[in-house]
Amino acid sequence: RPHIREAADVYELLRSRLCAEKREHFLVLPLTSKNEVLMVADVSVGTLTNTLVHPREVFEPAIRCGAAHIILAHNHPSGDPAPSDADREITRTMRAAGAVLGIPVTDHIVIGRMDFFSFAEEGEG
């Protein structure tokens, strides 16, 4: 199982899967308490500029595999990983849902063509 120590590990794990996509893909990575990736679950595929994401689809894989916490990830087909206002709102919503469920959202990674943005490392959310 892949082990996540920092946001760059998520980027390296998902970069080849997401960088060439023409539409936004939203993924959830349920993790063990030792930060081992239990699975990479596709939650939603959207358009060129956005995707519809709901907590029930995000947390279902985490509940199913008994995750201790999750990391969210999605790509920006434009190649620019700078988060949008909608990305910030999704992060807040998912963190609130995770608090209720007892499955914390420890990061949300936006993957661009050559770089990434980590909400946790940038102190946002």
Side-chain angles (χ1 to χ4, degrees), residues 2-96:
H3 187 265
I4 304 300
R5 292 174 300 282
E6 60 187 359
D9 296 333
V10 175
Y11 176 70
E12 288 303 319
L13 179 66
L14 300 176
R15 179 175 50 141
S16 64
R17 181 177 183 163
L18 295 177
C19 281
E21 291 292 343
K22 304 276 189 261
R23 298 187 297 168
E24 281 198 9
H25 290 250
F26 196 95
L27 311 173
V28 61
L29 286 73
L31 294 116
T32 68
S33 60
K34 294 181 179 181
N35 294 329
E36 296 169 313
V37 178
L38 294 166
M39 67 185 302
V40 176
D42 288 296
V43 174
S44 177
V45 177
T47 66
L48 178 65
T49 58
N50 66 20
T51 187
L52 179 62
V53 181
H54 193 276
R56 80 177 146 258
E57 285 84 22
V58 169
F59 286 94
E60 188 271 333
I63 292 167
R64 190 172 20 130
C65 64
H69 60 106
I70 64 172
I71 293 176
L72 309 174
H74 80 280
N75 65 311
H76 279 177
S78 69
D80 179 2
S84 67
D85 290 341
D87 294 338
R88 288 180 172 87
E89 183 59 32
I90 287 170
T91 304
R92 282 190 292 273
T93 299
M94 296 305 157
R95 284 195 170 145

